Amino acid sequence: NAGVMQNPRHLVRRRGQEARLRCSPMKGHSHVYWYRQLPEEGLKFMVYLQKENIIDESGMPKERFSAEFPKEGPSILRIQQVVRGDSAAYFCASSPPTGTGVNYGYTFGSGTRLTVV
Amino acid sequence: SQKIEQNSEALNIQEGKTATLTCNYTNYSPAYLQWYRQDPGRGPVFLLLIRENEKEKRKERLKVTFDTTLKQSLFHITASQPADSATYLCALAQSTGNQFYFGTGTSLTVIP
């Protein structure tokens, strides 16, 4: 039973390029959360999705960032026209359909480390 | 938004001793408080969850307390081992929210 799978593990992009980060939740989990971890800062919530629905995107920057969780396939976090300040570790977490992550433990992936040069 | 403070300095303890980590918060009292372990280059791993109406939770060598009056949670690791060396994160959430607010973590080193 594989855990939460994220890829790529490391991603290097030049300023202005697009970054696509993928997350496959644990088997049986239908809730996906994206968090960002900047150096020396805590994890910051970005977005909460269920299949084909964005439930809460209150933590997403208003521009350049988008997320989706299609009926088939992984959840995608997309960052357009990346800037140096986007360099961070991006973590995906999932939780089962019987409860949200706040009242169950999240299962996190190993993260994607984005470096913008 | 919630402000969360964890021991800002790294904690070094001798193997076999009890490690105690603190998590203090301001503003509203959370409905749920969780503790995670994070190793370098890895994602956080869930350890324990405690609810606002619970004062204490235990799991093997781990114990979490939750004092809503002091706005503080304590995380204890008894009989600590070098393998317990990691960064420990606390995270808080409201009952109506979808997100956790994470602290910056406390780095623990258990010295053999």
Side-chain angles (χ1 to χ4, degrees):
Chain A
N1 183 16
V4 177
M5 304 301 292
Q6 288 190 251
N7 65 80
R9 287 296 305 275
H10 299 275
L11 182 62
V12 179
R13 283 287 176 266
R14 295 187 184 280
R15 280 178 294 172
Q17 290 185 319
E18 178 178 285
R20 280 184 179 240
L21 288 61
R22 295 175 193 77
C23 168
S24 296
M26 273 189 73
K27 188 175 180 180
H29 285 192
S30 57
H31 299 224
V32 166
Y33 310 78
W34 285 93
Y35 279 76
R36 176 165 63 174
Q37 189 171 38
L38 292 164
E40 309 303 322
E41 292 189 22
L43 286 153
K44 295 284 194 293
F45 170 80
M46 299 182 76
V47 63
Y48 163 41
L49 310 105
Q50 295 178 21
K51 285 282 187 183
E52 299 185 281
N53 282 307
I54 297 174
I55 307 301
D56 182 351
E57 56 181 348
S58 58
M60 287 280 270
K62 293 286 183 271
E63 297 176 351
R64 302 188 298 107
F65 285 72
S66 62
E68 62 176 8
F69 189 14
K71 188 175 179 181
E72 301 291 337
S75 175
I76 306 285
L77 180 67
R78 183 181 176 207
I79 311 172
Q80 295 178 291
Q81 298 176 317
V82 296
V83 301
R84 287 228 170 101
D86 296 332
S87 295
Y90 291 83
F91 290 97
C92 168
S94 69
S95 66
T98 51
T100 63
V102 293
N103 53 14
Y104 286 81
Y106 284 139
T107 301
F108 278 91
S110 292
T112 293
R113 276 139 192 89
L114 172 66
T115 302
V116 179
V117 297
Chain B
S1 65
Q2 187 67 273
K3 184 178 178 184
I4 302 157
E5 292 182 350
Q6 296 189 244
N7 309 57
S8 57
E9 295 185 9
L11 185 63
N12 297 324
I13 64 165
Q14 208 67 38
E15 182 177 4
K17 300 291 186 186
T18 295
T20 299
L21 287 66
T22 61
C23 175
N24 296 298
Y25 58 92
T26 58
N27 300 337
Y28 58 83
S29 279
Y32 308 99
L33 191 150
Q34 297 186 354
W35 283 88
Y36 288 81
R37 168 188 173 136
Q38 187 172 25
D39 291 284
R42 310 292 297 179
V45 175
F46 170 72
L47 297 175
L48 280 168
L49 175 149
I50 189 165
R51 295 178 172 81
E52 60 182 335
N53 59 349
E54 299 173 318
K55 293 208 179 296
E56 184 178 298
K57 223 32 163 341
R58 290 175 185 263
K59 179 184 175 183
E60 298 173 353
R61 294 185 295 113
L62 309 179
K63 184 177 87 170
V64 172
T65 61
F66 194 5
D67 189 325
T68 55
T69 302
L70 292 178
K71 295 192 173 182
Q72 181 181 77
S73 173
L74 298 179
F75 177 77
H76 307 271
I77 306 174
T78 58
S80 59
Q81 304 166 1
D84 295 327
S85 299
T87 296
Y88 291 85
L89 311 173
C90 75
L92 289 70
Q94 290 182 286
S95 58
T96 54
N98 296 308
Q99 62 171 289
F100 270 98
Y101 296 95
F102 280 82
T104 53
T106 297
S107 174
L108 171 69
T109 300
V110 180
I111 303 163

